[in-house]
Amino acid sequence: MDAPTTTSADNGTSDDSGGGWFKPRRKPDAGPQQPPGADQGQGRIPGPGGAARPSRPVTAIRPVGTGASRPQPAQPQPAQPQPPQAAEPQPRRAEPPSEAPHAAPPHAPQPHTAPPHTAQQRAPEAQAAPAAPPAAPAAPAAPAAPVSPDAALIRRTLADIGEDAGKVTSYFYALLFTRHPELRGLFPAAMDTQRDRLLKALLTAAEHIDNKPVLTEYLRNLGRGHRKYGTQASHYPAVGEALLGALARYATSTWDGESEAAWIRTYTAISQIMIDAAAENELRAPAWWQAEVVSHDLRTPDIAVITLRPDQPYPFLAGQYTSLETPWWPRIWRHYSFAGAPRPDGLLSFHVKAVPAGWVSNALVHRARPGDTVRLGPPAGSMTVDHTTDSGLLCLGGGTGIAPIKALVEDVAEHGERRPVDVFYGARTDYDLYDIDTMLRLQQSHSWLSVHPIVDGRTQFPDAVLEHGPWNSHDAYLSGPPGMIRSGVDALRSLGIPGDRIRHDSLEELVAAGD
């Protein structure tokens, strides 16, 4: 799961894909805050019309420790596949893979009912009617990815609450802040967009619990990134209990003991990955870096190239991104890509576009000056160059998405490679090609580099790419607005580039950052 690499579009709310159970840098000036309409009682939740009613007891989720401090749970054994039935075929539920988190870690509570049973099996997408015997032998179709029982229960819950997502979010925060009022002061004051991100991230991670390689790396990045908030392992149970309470309140058609058990196992697995990643990272890197603004170059009225000097070495790879907090909007972080490969002097450059209602972006473009200090989170992202191959690079950068593309070009040059690199640099107008001179200078210095400027109204990305090529042996990189990435991915696949060789920003996180 690639992370965002060019999210200069922001609206001033906390990011990191919904992160936000933070430990404060200082205690709030005022006493504990209650959510609007919440009862002052610790265990009572606002009901319809503001009337308080007793909250439903929720299975407790106890704190979990780091991988070094806790005993390792026994790994569940995969179920043996059953032979096909000769008569009266039944709908089947796929057997769980051996690595699926079916056994709760030792510190996780056991639900009040037995774990989900594995009677009949079900295909991952839809239940199909029994097919008639084939007229002639045919090549077997590729088997569909199995869906574990927990994943099936998770998706059933998500389908049940689909139309009530907004209510689930509100109730989730009411539970969290009523039972743990000390946490309210740790979130940004404006909860308009942030309120959706924490819960959305949890639900998204739970839905993809079977996709271990992708989900694990995604969660490890989140765990490392949340160190900058001061997140502690003891914060996760509070969030988990609020999550279960909100789901139980609105998944009225499907919530039962099996669903609760599946969510407890899933949330425990999710939080444990994040906790362990944070603990490991703590041994190697600080939670954040202080960085001084040393240069502020206003390229257009709303785009600035900002150069920072971190207070200590900051290791990263070309194509990665970081999160940034300004002193004017505490606890509000935004993702920005590094606009160059690592430099000997340790300086870091970013391209920032100010967008309407973008608190962080407007502060960086219109307010920041040399001498100001900002904070940086850890580097993240996997849109990097594979130097073990000599495949050509096809790079599509739109707007400030040219920043990580420029970093990739510099990375190839510094490795002394002569692999072909084609850069398609798109913008709405000629004026918006604010970094075209830099890219053309790079082209003059490196014979293996070709730069193709594209302006809306004259040609489009897919058409421009089709005019060149072939590209089927290239690795493709896309960075820019979500719409450009969607159309670009479709165009590249139509050109024969396999999906596993197309690297791009996470569309989901880009959309969230640009709301």
Side-chain angles (χ1 to χ4, degrees), residues 62-443:
R62 299 188 184 94
V64 283
T66 65
S69 65
R70 74 183 193 281
Q72 296 299 318
Q75 293 297 322
Q77 296 299 320
Q80 296 298 323
Q82 299 296 326
Q85 300 295 325
E88 295 185 3
Q90 299 292 329
R92 296 187 300 172
R93 174 181 296 170
E95 293 292 341
S98 59
E99 70 273 14
H102 292 296
H107 296 292
Q110 295 299 323
H112 58 270
T113 59
H117 62 277
T118 57
Q120 296 179 339
Q121 301 181 5
R122 178 190 176 102
E125 293 300 330
Q127 178 177 322
V147 176
S148 68
D150 278 0
L153 291 167
I154 294 295
R155 294 174 186 178
R156 186 181 71 172
T157 303
L158 296 176
D160 193 5
I161 66 172
E163 296 183 358
D164 291 323
K167 296 178 181 178
V168 173
T169 302
S170 298
Y171 197 76
F172 166 79
Y173 280 110
L175 285 171
L176 181 63
F177 296 152
T178 301
R179 294 177 177 176
H180 303 275
E182 71 280 3
L183 297 182
R184 179 59 185 95
L186 313 182
F187 286 76
M191 289 285 290
D192 48 355
T193 303
Q194 162 62 28
R195 66 186 291 273
D196 297 328
R197 291 181 179 172
L198 171 55
L199 185 60
K200 182 178 180 182
L202 294 175
L203 298 181
T204 299
E207 184 178 12
H208 294 86
I209 192 64
D210 280 351
N211 193 345
K212 291 296 179 183
V214 170
L215 181 62
T216 297
E217 185 57 31
Y218 170 70
L219 293 173
R220 288 179 60 83
N221 278 333
L222 282 185
R224 290 188 290 262
H226 278 77
R227 289 186 59 218
K228 64 180 176 285
Y229 305 120
T231 305
Q232 302 295 321
S234 59
H235 296 156
Y236 289 83
V239 175
E241 291 171 10
L243 171 65
L244 263 65
L247 295 175
R249 174 69 174 81
Y250 284 97
T252 55
S253 300
T254 59
W255 191 260
D256 55 18
E258 290 187 352
S259 297
E260 183 179 70
W263 278 95
I264 289 175
R265 286 189 292 269
T266 299
Y267 179 78
T268 302
I270 289 172
S271 59
Q272 195 65 65
I273 292 172
M274 297 177 66
I275 290 169
D276 289 348
E280 294 168 7
N281 185 250
E282 187 176 1
L283 303 176
R284 300 191 299 269
W288 65 78
W289 287 254
Q290 300 281 355
E292 178 188 358
V293 179
V294 297
S295 174
H296 187 283
D297 180 11
L298 195 64
R299 296 288 183 87
T300 75
D302 59 357
I303 296 178
V305 175
I306 299 173
T307 303
L308 307 177
R309 178 187 293 114
D311 61 347
Q312 51 189 310
Y314 189 103
F316 73 98
L317 299 175
Q320 288 189 307
Y321 69 97
T322 187
S323 52
L324 190 152
E325 179 200 49
T326 72
W328 305 286
W329 300 108
R331 300 192 304 277
I332 297 176
W333 297 76
R334 277 291 168 269
H335 287 147
Y336 294 101
S337 292
F338 299 103
R343 295 167 45 164
D345 59 11
L347 298 182
L348 311 171
S349 293
F350 303 91
H351 296 184
V352 183
K353 179 179 176 64
V355 298
W359 297 356
V360 175
S361 64
N362 276 280
L364 289 172
V365 172
H366 300 303
R367 190 167 181 175
R369 294 293 181 270
D372 290 334
T373 300
V374 299
R375 290 206 305 172
L376 299 174
S382 59
M383 202 180 85
T384 57
V385 176
D386 181 1
H387 293 289
T388 65
T389 74
D390 57 359
S391 301
L393 271 62
L394 170 60
C395 303
L396 280 63
T400 52
I402 197 63
I405 301 300
K406 173 175 172 285
L408 297 178
V409 172
E410 293 180 356
D411 189 36
V412 172
E414 290 178 4
H415 278 76
E417 300 167 346
R418 298 184 60 83
R419 59 203 296 184
V421 178
D422 283 78
V423 173
F424 291 82
Y425 179 12
R428 295 182 182 275
T429 67
D430 289 307
Y431 186 70
D432 294 323
L433 294 171
Y434 65 92
D435 212 31
I436 188 62
D437 290 343
T438 302
M439 298 305 301
L440 292 177
R441 283 195 296 270
L442 287 171
Q443 179 179 247

